Structures are given as structure tokens and as C-alpha cells.
Amino acid sequence: CAYFTSRGSYISDTNLYHAQCIRWLEEYGILKGLANIQSRAAYNSSSFCLSALFSMKYIFGQSMHALQGFTALLLGTVCLDIGKIFRRKKTLLSDFVRLGAIYYLSLLHREIMSPSSDFAVMLTLFYIVIAWLDLLEREETSTVPYALLCVAGVYTVTLKLTAGLILILVIKPVVMLVKEKKWKEIATYLLLGLFIITPYLIRNVVISGWLIYPLSALDLFDVDWKVPAQLVDADSYQIRIWGKGIHDYELYGGVTKWWPNWFRTILSSTEKGLILADAASLVVLVFMTGKQWKERRNGTWDKLLVMTTVAASFLFWQFSAPLTRYGYAYILMLALLVFGEMYVRILGNRRQMVLLAVISIFFIWKGAALAQAVWDQRSLPYYIAQVDYDNNENGEDVREHQVKGI
């Protein structure tokens, strides 16, 4: 993680606004109306605050951007538990999600140094789902860890608003607490959630004048630095159409117009296969839910809640702004959860050697690819300090402007 976080390439949005937002936070903190200078500053991801907090430019002479690699390391340590499958010789649903997380981490190695909010939210979502499944699989009866994971879900919303449907999981701890009539605990967790999201909402208002950006329908504040509503709507529109791969505005009509173009032009061959697997998973999930409704088997509803949460998140991503970078966790987890559950139900511990062989091949394949990447980048001189952010201050697009003599 340290090696790949020291070198690689920045995604385009890092040069466009990630590094800018972090630098504003480093040097000035929160600035009223900043979104009027750069509208993307209004996206206000909490990941930028965390990156600024740990950039430590005053120590190293350049801004560190190692937070993404550290988050990947934390997820990687959680994924290491997949090794227990060889000892216990029993397949669990969490094993499949861990495989998906490992695959995702292997895709990020070239760009893991980018302090992207998209990567941050995907890594956090993988962690929450894996931790939740671990609780179910050890038959945890205490409400506390489930409720705290929901509080972590609230934090995920401050990383990127589109992650909000992860909070469907809150159904489980709420039902448990209501059954036990633990009203004080319910109030405590609500206050924890408010404690986490309130600074994010305050920053939204200070930066853009809107409580939630870019949602112009929620118009609560009349401040003189507010971004005009028509610009907010235009930004929201652009996010949706660019996510759908639309650069020809005539394509923006119904789903029958944009979806075939998106599938054909935006996705790689592997991603096309994953999306088709997700479509099949949605159909299977409907049948699984119907069957569970008839049979009322204990314990299955908890797994169905996780699968439904991921399915709802996938559908929201698919029909809002389905750029793969915005939703890779949903793409991978939906198919792995549904087909993983089918595997566990149908085969159980039978043909275990086949699955172990597949997992072994997967690790050899990914391990070899990462080893090759390490070897290819060995000559880059970033063993003491990371590659710095791009410096565009002398570029042709950078011009000085005077504001009140400054």
C-alpha cells in the first residue's frame, strides 16, 4: 500500500478539484461562498477534510496524500480473514464480498494516491458490508455493533451523498431496539448520527449557501454568497448526463436511449459482464425474497436486508450517474452477494476444493499482476517522498485577477 501510494497517476478530477479543495482547507479552512469560484468545491466530501488534516505540509514541505492508501490498508487487513477459509473448510457469504474487495483494491493500485472521494466511499462501503456480514455469521445478538456500523454509514454519506442508501441497514438495529424498548439507546445513536453529519451540513451552507448541494429543491437559507439556483440545477444535470456517458444531448431522453449507448461506450468488456451478472442477480433476488416470504426461515431475512440494501444502491447508481468509478462497490457486491448466497445454500461445503482452487488461482493471478506493477515502477524516485501534486500555477489557463485591490 505504501509503495503504490507513493507513485502512480492522478485521476483527472484530482487536478480539477480534489487537490484544490484540500489546499483550501489546508491554508484557509472553510471559506464562505467558495463554490462561486469553483462549483465542485460544493461537493464538500469529508474525505477532503481528512486528507487536509493528515497532509502535514508544514513537516514534509509538500502535501501528503497517503490517506487513500491507508484506508486501502485497513480494508486489506479485513480482507485477510479470507485465508481462514482454508482452515475452516466452510464457505461464508462474507468470503465472496472479501474477494470483491480484493479485486477492487487490485484495480486501484495505479491511482490509489489520488485523494478521490469516489475511492474513499467505495472502500468504506466494502468495509461496512463485510463487517456487517461478519456479525451475522457469528450470530451477534447485541445491537451495539450493528448500530455503530449504521453510524459509520452516516459518515459514508458525508463522503458522497449517493452512498445514502446504505442506511437501509438501519432497519435491523431499529427493530431490535424497539422490540427491547431501549428508547435511550435509540436517542443516543440518533445523536451520534447528528453529531457526524451536522458539521458536513454546516460546511455545505458556508461553502455554497445550500444545505445539500446540488439539490436546489431544498432551499432553506437566504445568504448573499449562495450559488444561484440555475447554476446548481445545471451542475446536477451535468453530473447525471456525464455519468451516463452522454456527450450528445440528443441522447438524453428515456432509458432506452441512453442505456445502450452507456453500455456500449463506457464499459470495458469485464464491466459489461459484471453489469449483466448484476441484472441476473436482481432477478434472482426477487425470487429469493418471494421464497423466503413463503418459507419464513430464520436468519435469512438478515442476509436479504444486506442484499436488498446493495441492490437499492446499485439501482440508484445505475439510473442517476452510472459512471463506474462512482459505483464499483455496488457492481461487484450485488452479484457476489446473490450468487454467493446461492452457492452457500445449494452446495454448502460440498465441492469445497473447487472453490479453494478458484480462490488460489485468483490470488496467483492478482499477485503476479501486482508484482509486475511493482517491478515496472521500481526506477521511479519516490521512496522517500510521494510524487507531489501537479503544479499548474504557470499554465496558460492560470491568470491573476484583482478583487478589491488584492
Side-chain angles (χ1 to χ4, degrees):
C1 284
Y3 183 85
F4 286 118
T5 307
S6 70
R7 63 204 65 213
S9 57
Y10 295 106
I11 65 172
S12 58
D13 279 356
T14 292
N15 283 323
L16 183 62
Y17 74 97
H18 298 161
Q20 292 183 45
C21 288
I22 292 167
R23 184 171 173 182
W24 278 107
L25 288 164
E26 285 174 333
E27 298 183 9
Y28 293 97
I30 302 299
L31 202 68
K32 284 183 183 178
L34 181 62
N36 290 284
I37 296 175
Q38 164 63 294
S39 65
R40 287 170 176 81
Y43 298 164
N44 181 30
S45 173
S46 293
S47 66
F48 300 151
C49 298
L50 212 55
S51 291
L53 182 65
F54 289 102
S55 65
M56 298 181 284
K57 186 176 182 178
Y58 54 90
I59 295 177
F60 298 105
Q62 71 178 63
S63 295
M64 296 282 285
H65 40 94
L67 185 70
Q68 208 80 275
F70 184 70
T71 310
L73 176 63
L74 292 179
L75 179 60
T77 59
V78 173
C79 290
L80 285 176
D81 279 349
I82 197 172
K84 294 178 181 177
I85 193 174
F86 294 94
R87 186 174 71 248
R88 61 174 136 83
K89 296 182 179 179
K90 178 184 177 183
T91 309
L92 302 174
L93 188 56
S94 59
D95 294 329
F96 291 91
V97 183
R98 281 184 167 89
L99 279 177
I102 292 167
Y103 178 77
Y104 181 69
L105 288 170
S106 73
L107 296 179
L108 288 188
H109 73 272
R110 289 188 181 86
E111 298 172 331
I112 193 64
M113 69 175 192
S114 269
S116 166
S117 54
D118 302 316
F119 298 159
V121 74
M122 295 298 109
L123 294 169
T124 308
L125 286 169
F126 265 118
Y127 170 78
I128 290 173
V129 172
I130 290 171
W132 193 282
L133 290 173
D134 283 346
L135 293 174
L136 295 180
E137 287 162 355
R138 67 170 184 254
E139 299 180 351
E140 179 63 60
T141 56
S142 171
T143 313
V144 175
Y146 297 106
L148 289 177
L149 281 174
C150 290
V151 172
V154 175
Y155 172 71
T156 309
V157 175
T158 71
L159 296 174
K160 201 172 184 70
L161 278 172
T162 53
L165 291 182
I166 193 67
L167 291 177
I168 294 174
L169 290 174
V170 80
I171 292 172
K172 180 177 174 62
V174 165
V175 169
M176 293 170 73
L177 288 169
V178 169
K179 281 183 177 180
E180 297 169 10
K181 297 182 179 180
K182 293 184 176 180
W183 312 117
K184 289 183 180 179
E185 284 81 353
I186 291 175
T188 299
Y189 294 122
L190 284 173
L191 288 172
L192 276 173
L194 286 172
F195 178 76
I196 285 174
I197 204 167
T198 298
Y200 165 76
L201 295 175
I202 293 172
R203 288 198 313 272
N204 279 347
V205 177
V206 174
I207 292 171
S208 69
W210 298 89
L211 186 67
I212 297 177
Y213 186 97
L215 183 62
S216 62
L218 201 60
D219 190 354
L220 303 178
F221 300 95
D222 184 20
V223 291
D224 59 4
W225 63 84
K226 180 187 284 187
V227 177
Q230 62 267 30
L231 296 182
V232 178
D233 292 335
D235 200 7
S236 175
Y237 178 75
Q238 188 182 67
I239 293 169
R240 294 196 308 272
I241 65 166
W242 280 78
K244 294 179 173 72
I246 298 171
H247 305 289
D248 180 357
Y249 289 95
E250 294 179 358
L251 288 171
Y252 193 71
V255 66
T256 55
K257 282 190 175 181
W258 67 259
W259 198 90
N261 176 71
W262 170 83
F263 187 83
R264 186 179 65 256
T265 61
I266 294 292
L267 305 180
S268 67
S269 298
T270 302
E271 290 164 352
K272 288 176 182 176
L274 288 170
I275 293 296
L276 293 175
D278 289 326
S281 299
L282 290 170
V283 176
V284 174
L285 181 57
V286 171
F287 282 104
M288 288 172 63
T289 305
K291 188 175 181 182
Q292 169 62 13
W293 187 261
K294 290 179 181 179
E295 297 178 358
R296 305 284 207 283
R297 289 195 298 176
N298 293 331
T300 308
W301 281 120
D302 286 333
K303 292 181 180 179
L304 283 175
L305 177 62
V306 178
M307 287 184 267
T308 301
T309 301
V310 173
S313 300
F314 171 84
L315 288 170
F316 179 75
W317 163 82
Q318 176 70 93
F319 293 103
S320 55
L323 201 64
T324 50
R325 193 175 75 241
Y326 301 164
Y328 227 110
Y330 314 132
I331 295 171
L332 290 168
M333 282 197 290
L334 178 56
L336 286 167
L337 280 168
V338 174
F339 288 106
E341 176 65 8
M342 288 179 62
Y343 179 92
V344 172
R345 284 192 192 185
I346 297 170
L347 293 178
N349 296 325
R350 290 175 291 168
R351 301 184 182 178
Q352 190 75 9
M353 293 306 298
V354 175
L355 180 63
L356 294 179
V358 170
I359 292 174
S360 300
I361 292 169
F362 172 79
F363 275 108
I364 292 169
W365 165 46
K366 281 300 175 183
L370 288 175
Q372 183 64 50
V374 169
W375 181 255
D376 291 342
Q377 298 181 44
R378 68 192 184 282
S379 60
L380 296 175
Y382 300 116
Y383 289 92
I384 304 300
Q386 290 176 288
V387 58
D388 201 359
Y389 290 120
D390 291 348
N391 185 343
N392 299 310
E393 291 186 4
N394 297 319
E396 59 182 14
D397 294 326
V398 180
R399 295 177 297 278
E400 285 190 3
H401 295 272
Q402 283 196 11
V403 179
K404 295 183 179 179
I406 299 173

